[in-house]
Amino acid sequence: MTSTASVVSNEQLQDILTKLGIKAKNPAIHNGREYWHGANAAYHEIQAAADGRVLGAVQYADADQYAMIMDGAQEAFLTWRDVPAPLRGEIVRQIGEALRKYKEPLGALVTMEMGKIYQEGLGEVQEMIDICDFAVGLSRQLYGLTMQSERKHHRMYEQWHPLGTVGIISAFNFPVAVWAWNAMIAAVCGNVSVWKPSEKTPLTGIACMHIVQEVLEANDLPAGIFNLVIGDREIGQKLAEDRRIPLLSATGSTRMGKAVSETVAKRLGKTILELGGNNAIIVSRHADMKLVIPAIVFGSVGTCGQRCTSTRRLIIDEQIYDEIVSKLKSAYASLQSRIGHPMDSSTLIGPLIDRDAVAMMQASIVKVKAEGGTLLFGGDVLTGEGYETGTYVVPALVEADNSYEAVQHETFAPILYLTKYRSLDEAIEIHNSVPQGLSSAIFTENMKEAEKFLSGLGSDCGIANVNIGTSGAEIGGAFGGEKETGGGRESGSDAWKAYMRRQTNTINWSDDLPLAQGIKFDF
């Protein structure tokens, strides 16, 4: 691994931060204006996952600041809901153009703060641009239906109205894209949003606020259409409890999602939950082998195994098991020289987010070995020059039974569990026998196998693929999963309906008052 200084100098890093409006000290809330605590307020340093350098410090919002941001959002909604949807789409189009302008520095900040390689950082910003483009078209397609009334000279139809203030809680692994998935769709639907980014990656959130606020200011629109509030679990709890937030979209662990869901449900609010994934690929003996290994490797080690859709389990036909294991060992061995600083163009695998994540990975390996699993490759924590942060690891291959507790649990790290199957029915049973249900895939050239996997007899996940891996969803499709993944849907297709309320309307244009179902009510 090359030294930190030779990859991104302090001067280059400062230039990135300056372009995005990131200061040495940053306030707790943002909606066009910056509100600061008193002079003695605590600051929380944000270290780069890439190399441990301090990128800046942030304050956490207190109760008064939270109230201030919510008041601003409520006020902005009164203006924004009255803007015609296509004009709201025009604002989102301009945000997409602004993101194109800032793509390189924002992608670099994502890489430095979160640790994914630079191409993935750029790719994440491109996802934001893509969802803006999608939302622009959507702004002219918020369709309702016309239904046939059973009463003469009546017209019955449905229409969709904005909800109000949408809360967004995002995770560190996609520090900006998931916010955009929610915020841009919510915006064209006429909502305002309040965003709590992960406390591990708040600076990318601040950068996004500066970008969108430039657009709002240029169009003489209220700053409170897009809002950011920085904090820990206490702020997340406030969002969950707040009756002024009819919809809360939360991305994170299943544990977090259960707590959020319970709190929001108590006030009869709505949630979109994108929680844990324990994604598997079934590899059939009928698979095209030239596709299999690259898909597995990217899915399991991309973003250092920290994607919601990362491949965590591999279910292999026993007839080709030894062949696949041998090829994977060779592929993983070739990757060891490509583990390093994520801004280095030769790097394929960056660091885990922090040492806590490393400790969880190590604990999972110890646990699965105690249950009877066999470590086939990797699992080491890298040390020495360039790896001083203690967050760089060698991706692990583990032979393990699907029933093991360690396998049933999602570890947010590059551990790939391998198991065998004899028949497709057995493979599907193994595949579905976990609590989570986000993404899934099968590699096969056999049409019957592919169709069964995609049928109601196959994968129980929200995403099911054939001859493509579990990772890398496109924004045009609704994204989300089942079971303990939460059941929510974001991004494309008709996911926009979650951000609006449906209203059924009946207009009587006759001179009479006929009642439904022919009821007579004389008086």
Side-chain angles (χ1 to χ4, degrees):
M1 179 179 177
T2 52
S3 69
T4 295
S6 65
V7 178
V8 179
S9 69
N10 290 330
E11 291 75 16
Q12 290 171 320
L13 178 58
Q14 187 55 53
D15 182 59
I16 292 167
L17 297 173
T18 299
K19 286 179 179 177
L20 297 170
I22 305 300
K23 303 171 184 176
K25 293 183 176 181
N26 299 273
I29 61 176
H30 299 256
N31 67 351
R33 298 182 297 276
E34 297 180 337
Y35 300 94
W36 297 81
H37 289 303
N40 297 322
Y43 282 89
H44 303 265
E45 284 190 343
I46 305 302
Q47 291 184 318
D51 52 39
R53 278 182 288 183
V54 174
L55 299 174
V58 296
Q59 294 178 332
Y60 284 179
D62 59 19
D64 289 341
Q65 289 180 312
Y66 176 83
M68 189 183 303
I69 211 79
M70 283 301 301
D71 288 345
Q74 294 283 295
E75 183 178 351
F77 174 62
L78 301 180
T79 298
W80 187 239
R81 68 180 178 181
D82 200 38
V83 175
L87 297 184
R88 298 194 295 254
E90 166 58 19
I91 300 305
V92 171
R93 185 195 68 78
Q94 293 180 35
I95 291 173
E97 290 302 310
L99 288 168
R100 286 177 171 89
K101 173 183 173 183
Y102 288 101
K103 180 177 178 177
E104 291 187 5
L106 183 56
L109 181 57
V110 168
T111 292
M112 292 297 296
E113 188 174 33
M114 184 269 153
K116 61 179 61 177
I117 63 174
Y118 183 46
Q119 283 303 312
E120 288 190 272
L122 292 175
E124 180 164 353
V125 180
Q126 186 61 49
E127 278 198 43
M128 301 172 75
I129 295 167
D130 292 344
I131 201 65
C132 287
D133 290 348
F134 180 89
V136 173
L138 179 64
S139 68
R140 295 181 181 270
Q141 300 178 70
L142 302 175
Y143 299 133
L145 296 174
T146 297
M147 288 79 73
Q148 296 301 314
S149 174
E150 65 187 46
R151 290 169 286 188
K152 187 177 180 179
H153 297 164
H154 282 58
R155 182 163 68 91
M156 186 166 63
Y157 66 99
E158 68 179 20
Q159 59 183 340
W160 297 81
H161 297 298
L163 291 170
T165 301
V166 173
I168 304 168
I169 298 174
S170 63
F172 74 85
N173 60 331
F174 280 85
V176 292
V178 171
W179 163 73
W181 285 4
N182 285 275
M184 298 307 140
I185 301 296
V188 297
C189 290
N191 303 295
V192 300
S193 58
V194 176
W195 175 24
K196 178 204 168 303
S198 168
E199 55 265 42
K200 296 180 180 182
T201 54
L203 299 182
T204 46
I206 294 172
C208 288
M209 281 301 108
H210 289 315
I211 292 169
V212 300
Q213 292 301 333
E214 283 184 15
V215 174
L216 296 179
E217 185 176 347
N219 287 274
D220 196 28
L221 285 167
I225 296 170
F226 296 96
N227 305 273
L228 179 105
V229 55
I230 297 172
D232 53 18
R233 292 179 183 176
E234 291 184 11
I235 292 298
Q237 185 68 19
K238 284 184 178 294
L239 290 168
E241 293 173 348
D242 200 324
R243 293 182 177 275
R244 295 170 294 180
I245 298 177
L247 172 66
L248 180 60
S249 176
T251 302
S253 68
T254 297
R255 175 199 56 76
M256 179 276 286
K258 287 180 177 179
V260 166
S261 178
E262 181 179 0
T263 301
V264 176
K266 284 181 178 178
R267 59 177 178 84
L268 298 182
K270 300 199 301 181
T271 55
I272 298 173
L273 300 175
E274 299 293 353
L275 311 176
N278 200 344
N279 317 295
I281 294 176
I282 296 173
V283 184
S284 166
R285 65 179 181 273
H286 303 296
D288 182 342
M289 291 302 160
K290 72 176 181 295
L291 303 179
V292 169
I293 300 302
I296 295 170
V297 173
F298 173 70
S300 58
V301 309
T303 323
C304 203
Q306 296 172 114
R307 290 181 174 225
C308 303
T309 54
S310 290
T311 307
R312 310 207 178 280
R313 298 178 297 135
L314 198 60
I315 305 163
I316 310 167
D317 188 310
E318 63 178 3
Q319 294 187 30
I320 57 169
Y321 183 83
D322 291 341
E323 176 189 354
I324 295 295
V325 170
S326 176
K327 289 181 177 180
L328 280 176
K329 284 182 178 179
S330 296
Y332 270 50
S334 71
L335 291 172
Q336 285 193 264
S337 63
R338 310 292 295 277
I339 302 170
H341 195 289
M343 287 294 288
D344 189 326
S345 61
S346 66
T347 295
L348 288 180
I349 305 172
L352 287 170
I353 184 67
D354 54 29
R355 291 191 178 188
D356 288 342
V358 174
M360 284 191 288
M361 177 179 178
Q362 297 305 301
S364 292
I365 292 174
V366 170
K367 184 176 181 63
V368 75
K369 288 168 68 175
E371 291 184 89
T374 302
L375 179 63
L376 301 176
F377 185 89
D380 305 314
V381 181
L382 297 175
T383 59
E385 184 180 358
Y387 302 115
E388 291 85 356
T389 59
T391 55
Y392 289 86
V393 298
V394 179
L397 294 172
V398 179
E399 188 175 69
D401 192 276
N402 192 72
S403 64
Y404 293 167
E405 186 178 344
V407 180
Q408 293 282 309
H409 174 76
E410 179 195 37
T411 300
F412 230 53
I415 304 175
L416 182 61
Y417 298 111
L418 284 63
T419 191
K420 302 176 185 177
Y421 76 87
R422 294 183 178 87
S423 69
L424 181 61
D425 286 342
E426 181 188 13
I428 292 172
E429 182 181 0
I430 293 169
H431 176 278
N432 292 346
S433 295
V434 293
Q436 310 84 359
L438 179 53
S439 187
S440 60
I442 187 171
F443 277 80
T444 181
E445 297 292 291
N446 184 301
M447 181 188 71
K448 290 183 177 180
E449 288 186 334
E451 289 294 337
K452 186 167 188 175
F453 182 74
L454 298 179
S455 76
L457 304 177
S459 169
D460 63 358
C461 293
I463 299 169
N465 299 327
V466 175
N467 295 331
I468 188 172
T470 62
S471 190
E474 296 185 32
I475 59 97
F479 180 88
E482 301 300 326
K483 301 189 293 187
E484 288 193 359
T485 299
R489 294 295 185 272
E490 298 169 329
S491 190
S493 186
D494 65 348
W496 63 269
K497 292 180 178 179
Y499 302 86
M500 303 194 81
R501 59 182 177 89
R502 187 196 308 250
Q503 184 181 78
T504 301
N505 308 111
T506 305
I507 299 173
N508 176 7
W509 54 276
S510 75
D511 296 325
D512 300 313
L513 187 65
L515 302 179
Q517 293 88 44
I519 294 173
K520 303 296 183 182
F521 191 75
D522 297 324
F523 64 95

